[in-house]
Amino acid sequence: MGKFYAIKKGRKPGIYTTWDEAKKQVSGYSGAVYKGFTSRSQADAFMKGTTVNNTAAKTKAPVRPVTPLQSSEITFYTDGGSRNHGNVAGDHVHADDKAAWAYLIELPDQQTVSDSGGEWGATNNRMEIMGLIKALMYLIEHQYNRKAILAVLDSQYVLNAIQKGWLAGWKRKNWHRAGNAPLKNAELWRQVDQLLPQFSQLQFEWTKGHAVNHGNVFVDELLNQTMDQMKKTAETPAQHSQPSQLNLFKN
């Protein structure tokens, strides 16, 4: 099956069928926006700002709030992303690749709080975990962790680790995978394991990424803004993310 690379923002926007050609348009280009797809219709839809259901494109639906699984007092959204120019899937990155995480927390009385941070040379998966960790830490620090909370994520990697018992299995194996294989992001999973028990009414829900969920769209845009603002210095080794100043505002 062929691959299609949609370059929405780059030296020459368009759809390319080889990564070598697509890479020329985004490598070293500040603020590049691009994504790989398995079908031409999906790539076309990405370029037009629409979504695809199976193989048929349709107009992007209005952004709508998520419907909680049960009554919740607080809902939060997290996301992570990277702009690597070595591997579209995000598994291998270079030291100067941009990556970022973001969260949005909807508190009682229509208050919302958001935050985002960047990291050089990090994978998409690492940033997905970081987004969750930062949101959980904020809730604990502000004593919201005993409230009924709904966490909405688009990362199956993070959700499966929590909901399918992978996290508990890795912990039993001393933070290794089956066969004693190294566990990627082990230090972050340790933090997640320490944070989750501090919540009494926390549930998780998956949402399709970058589609019609208002909170998911918000955090995706926020982390992309963070990556846009990251400046390359003479040396850009991988660094741990540092939280930016919290942005508290009213809806």
Side-chain angles (χ1 to χ4, degrees):
M1 181 178 293
K3 192 89 179 224
F4 300 86
Y5 303 94
I7 312 300
K8 202 166 189 177
K9 185 178 179 182
R11 293 185 177 84
K12 187 177 179 181
I15 297 174
Y16 299 82
T17 55
T18 68
W19 173 238
D20 285 342
E21 285 299 312
K23 182 178 178 181
K24 295 176 184 177
Q25 314 309 320
V26 299
S27 181
Y29 187 93
S30 178
V33 178
Y34 60 97
K35 193 172 183 180
F37 297 92
T38 57
S39 73
R40 177 79 188 207
S41 60
Q42 291 174 322
D44 286 334
F46 176 78
M47 295 296 291
K48 296 174 183 177
T50 60
T51 58
V52 172
N53 183 11
N54 295 326
T55 58
K58 61 181 181 180
T59 302
K60 189 173 181 180
V63 171
R64 64 173 182 268
V66 67
T67 301
L69 298 176
Q70 65 184 41
S71 177
S72 58
E73 300 173 78
I74 295 172
T75 300
F76 74 83
Y77 310 83
T78 67
D79 199 8
S82 64
R83 293 178 185 164
N84 64 83
H85 41 262
N87 183 301
V88 171
D91 190 37
H92 300 90
V93 296
H94 299 161
D96 60 345
D97 288 334
K98 297 178 179 181
W101 55 266
Y103 68 69
L104 169 68
I105 303 175
E106 296 177 343
L107 298 167
D109 301 322
Q110 295 188 318
Q111 289 192 25
T112 60
V113 61
S114 62
D115 196 16
S116 180
E119 184 173 334
W120 294 99
T123 64
N124 178 79
N125 283 343
R126 178 178 176 84
M127 294 295 93
E128 294 280 9
I129 310 171
M130 283 292 298
L132 175 61
I133 288 174
K134 296 296 184 179
L136 295 177
M137 290 176 63
Y138 177 90
L139 291 167
I140 291 171
E141 289 168 1
H142 293 81
Q143 300 181 345
Y144 289 115
N145 50 309
R146 297 303 173 186
K147 302 281 188 182
I149 301 172
L150 174 65
V152 183
L153 292 71
D154 64 11
S155 172
Q156 295 283 10
Y157 169 68
V158 175
L159 289 173
N160 286 342
I162 296 169
Q163 296 180 312
K164 293 188 176 182
W166 298 354
L167 188 63
W170 295 332
K171 184 177 182 178
R172 287 195 300 270
K173 296 179 176 66
N174 194 26
W175 304 106
H176 286 75
R177 297 168 59 199
N180 206 37
L183 173 65
K184 293 181 179 179
N185 304 307
E187 78 285 3
L188 298 186
W189 287 122
R190 286 174 182 265
Q191 291 185 56
V192 173
D193 180 64
Q194 294 169 355
L195 293 169
L196 290 179
Q198 299 181 55
F199 291 82
S200 59
Q201 303 177 71
L202 175 61
Q203 60 176 338
F204 288 86
E205 183 176 279
W206 177 82
T207 185
K208 183 178 179 180
H210 323 145
V212 296
N213 183 290
H214 76 290
N216 179 261
V217 170
F218 179 94
V219 290
D220 175 62
E221 293 178 348
L222 183 58
L223 69 87
N224 273 286
Q225 291 173 15
T226 296
M227 289 190 285
D228 288 343
Q229 295 166 4
M230 293 172 68
K231 302 298 182 183
K232 185 177 180 180
T233 58
E235 295 183 0
T236 55
Q239 307 170 359
H240 290 297
S241 301
Q242 296 297 327
S244 59
Q245 186 176 0
L246 291 176
N247 173 26
L248 189 61
F249 57 92
K250 292 277 189 177
N251 280 338

